[in-house]
Amino acid sequence: MSKQQEKRARFARMFPARVDTLRDTLRKIANCSNKGNYDWDTDKVQEAWKLIAEEFATTADKYGISFEVRVKAQAKKSDDMFERVWAEHVQAVRNGYGAAK
């Protein structure tokens, strides 16, 4: 098997599994939208989706694919403790820490 064939075989083995994992993770995130079980700050959720969209756009760009995402939501009152924890998380993610790469 040539080096190119090995690379293609490795990609064919790895890529679908990683896509499946990503889709499963997104379904789990969607489960958190159940208002019967959770309450959230719309601003924080919007910010999280912006971070997710940035990761999608950056990753897609590596494959020569581009897309745009618009986020539209109404804000609601923030929880101070959540605010602090979330701000730390966002900063860590933007610095490349605390997120699976």
Side-chain angles (χ1 to χ4, degrees):
M1 184 182 293
S2 74
K3 181 121 176 136
Q4 183 70 18
Q5 288 172 324
E6 289 176 17
K7 287 180 177 182
R8 285 187 180 265
R10 187 171 52 244
F11 182 84
R13 185 178 65 251
M14 303 289 289
F15 189 76
R18 291 184 178 181
V19 169
D20 288 345
T21 299
L22 176 60
R23 292 180 72 212
D24 186 51
T25 300
L26 288 171
R27 281 190 287 270
K28 289 175 184 176
I29 290 171
N31 290 342
C32 291
S33 70
N34 181 333
K35 288 191 176 207
N37 293 323
Y38 304 98
D39 185 35
W40 59 88
D41 182 316
T42 303
D43 286 341
K44 302 307 170 243
V45 170
Q46 183 175 342
E47 190 171 346
W49 281 106
K50 285 179 183 178
L51 285 171
I52 292 167
E54 288 172 11
E55 288 293 331
F56 273 110
T58 299
T59 303
D61 188 55
K62 292 178 181 187
Y63 290 92
I65 300 166
S66 63
F67 59 89
E68 293 181 25
V69 177
R70 254 183 50 186
V71 178
K72 183 178 176 182
Q74 292 182 343
K76 93 178 200 188
K77 189 177 177 194
S78 151
D79 176 334
D80 289 338
M81 184 171 115
F82 183 83
E83 178 83 28
R84 286 191 306 274
V85 172
W86 182 251
E88 291 172 7
H89 173 75
V90 168
Q91 189 61 43
V93 169
R94 289 204 166 134
N95 288 335
Y97 304 106
K101 297 281 178 185

